[in-house]
Every structure is written in structure tokens, then in C-alpha cells.
Amino acid sequence: MLQSRSGGARKGTAAEETGPMSIGAVLNLLRDEFPEVTISKIRFLESEGLVEPQRTPSGYRKFSAADVERLSRVLRLQRDHYLPLRVIREQLDALDRGEEIRLPGPTRPFDPLDGFPVPNSGPDGEATAGSDGPATSRVGRAELLAATEADEEQLREWESYGLIGPARDGGYDAETVTVARIVADLGRYGLEPRHLRVVKAAAEREAGLVEQVVAPLRRHRNPQTRAHAETTARELATLAVRLHAALVQSALKTRLH
């Protein structure tokens, strides 16, 4: 049965709001749990019919507490279950009819460095041959297409530009699904895979910088030092992602004002 993530309302959530809210107020409420959400994302979900706020005579959106809870549910289903919007809409319609909904268990949270190449260690602490990791968390091609609401032609194009690719067993891991969904979302704004090659190249350069910093630690014979290398790499990756986002925001502020 589909259930809310928490048992009660948190301070500052829509459950405490009594009157209609602007889209900016809704954004502030949602960002507590979904820091990546934007006004454009809220408008997109509205255009897809997943939420229907009231409109003032002058055309401004006014969201109710129920609208915000509905948006939270949509974002949670996307994040935790990789459900395409078409399926989410069906789930919400079923809930509105009072039906019980069953979902697969949530996937593990996205880690920006889960794919960082850390060598496997044998019983003596020496590095062994690399691995693609366990295949249990991977999805097949059909599941990836369903999660992104894309078709075969689009998927082949993403792969041809090196934006995503299958593992050795032909499956796609959670991080690849996340990348594919973002590529699909950008495509709805007119950004094509050829436009995203520069983003891919920048990500590879940033990963290379991280690898340079932690490479000496990864080669160390002490297992604790190697473990520290992985922790350091994850911290560096998080900082790199934050820096990239801040630089983009700064550049846009300069260009748009």
C-alpha cells in the first residue's frame, strides 16, 4: 500500500498552511525534502496534469495544502521508485478512487560517486580485478525506457553520445537511470544529446581531478588508508557538484540580469 514517508506533518510543511499559497511558497516548502526542485519543475508537473492549482482572476497560481502534498507524493515516487509520470498519474487517480496501491521497495538514494572506480581487495589487501558491482540493483532496457518515458531511438541517441551506457551484463544501474531521466527532462526543454556533450566532458574532467587527489591513498597497503581514500573521493565529488551548481547559477545571474 502506498504510504507517506513520515507519519505526521513536519514544522513548516503544507499541513500547517491554511490559506492558498503562491508557487514561490510551495517551492520553499518542497525544498526541505527535495532540494533539487525548481519552479520550472512545478510548472512542468502542472502541465502534465499531476496537480491543478486554482487560478486568480489575474492568472496567478494558488496552491492548497492538498496540492503541495500531491506534489510531494509525485516527487517521492520519481525519486524513490523511478516511476514515469504516466504511471504516477495512474497511481494518483487510483488513490483518488480510494484504491490501495502497491509499489516496489524504494531504491537506494542517489550517490554522486557510487560509480567511482575503487579497486576490489583480496584477503591480503591487494587490489584485484575490477568489477561492475552487483547486478541486483540494475534494470533492463525496457524498464529504463518506462522510467524515462523515452523510446528506443532516443535511448540509442543517448548511448551514441556517451551520456549513458549499459553495464557488462546489459543492465542499467540506478545512477544510469538517474542520468537518463535528467537527460529526458532536459530534452523536454529542447536540449538535445549533442548539446549535453560539454556537460559530460566537464563531469569526466572533474572525476579525473578527484582521482588524481585520491590515487596515492588508493594504492596504499593499509586497508584503513584505502577506505579513507573512498570517503575523501565522495566528499570531493560532493563539493565538485556543489561548485558546478553555484557556478552555473552565478553565470545565469550575470547573463539574465
Side-chain angles (χ1 to χ4, degrees):
M1 179 176 178
L2 184 60
Q3 296 178 340
S4 175
R5 186 178 184 181
S6 58
R10 298 189 308 272
K11 181 178 180 181
T13 62
E16 296 181 350
E17 300 287 344
T18 56
M21 291 168 276
S22 68
I23 193 169
V26 171
L27 179 67
N28 290 333
L29 289 174
L30 291 175
R31 276 187 168 168
D32 181 35
E33 183 178 349
F34 310 99
E36 75 286 353
V37 74
T38 63
I39 285 180
S40 295
K41 175 73 171 182
I42 296 173
R43 289 171 176 164
F44 172 71
L45 294 177
E46 179 191 358
S47 70
E48 293 293 310
L50 292 163
V51 65
E52 297 179 359
Q54 297 294 319
R55 293 273 187 164
T56 66
S58 55
Y60 289 101
R61 298 172 178 83
K62 289 298 178 180
F63 294 80
S64 67
D67 291 329
V68 180
E69 292 299 327
R70 190 176 179 91
L71 285 169
S72 297
R73 190 184 297 276
V74 170
L75 295 171
R76 210 170 286 129
L77 288 171
Q78 283 191 311
R79 180 194 63 197
D80 297 343
H81 301 278
Y82 294 108
L83 294 181
L85 295 182
R86 173 182 54 79
V87 175
I88 292 176
R89 189 181 301 108
E90 294 172 355
Q91 300 276 13
L92 294 178
D93 290 343
L95 285 173
D96 291 340
R97 296 192 298 268
E99 300 176 9
E100 291 188 357
I101 303 300
R102 295 190 179 278
L103 292 170
T107 61
R108 57 195 174 96
F110 172 65
D111 186 327
L113 206 64
D114 262 357
F116 191 83
V118 178
N120 300 315
S121 297
D124 59 353
E126 293 296 328
T128 61
S131 169
D132 281 336
T136 54
S137 62
R138 297 196 182 111
V139 300
R141 197 173 185 86
E143 292 171 296
L144 178 64
L145 290 172
T148 57
E149 297 184 302
D151 55 36
E152 276 284 352
E153 182 179 354
Q154 289 174 299
L155 181 51
R156 285 194 297 270
E157 188 176 16
W158 299 344
E159 291 178 330
S160 70
Y161 280 98
L163 298 174
I164 65 168
R168 294 177 184 174
D169 63 0
Y172 300 88
D173 59 24
E175 290 70 41
T176 301
V177 176
T178 298
V179 171
R181 285 180 52 201
I182 295 172
V183 171
D185 286 343
L186 289 171
R188 297 184 181 100
Y189 289 90
L191 289 174
E192 301 176 7
R194 60 188 177 86
H195 299 138
L196 303 179
R197 287 182 297 182
V198 62
V199 180
K200 171 73 171 177
E204 291 177 346
R205 287 194 296 270
E206 291 168 9
L209 289 174
V210 173
E211 188 172 17
Q212 288 179 28
V213 173
V214 302
L217 300 176
R218 291 174 55 204
R219 292 193 295 265
H220 204 281
R221 294 184 63 86
N222 189 323
Q224 292 182 340
T225 302
R226 291 199 301 274
H228 178 63
E230 184 175 358
T231 301
T232 301
R234 293 175 186 276
E235 292 173 351
L236 287 172
T238 300
L239 288 172
V241 170
R242 290 172 56 190
L243 175 61
H244 183 85
L247 289 173
V248 171
Q249 292 288 350
S250 178
L252 283 175
K253 184 176 181 180
T254 301
R255 291 168 181 264
L256 300 179
H257 292 84

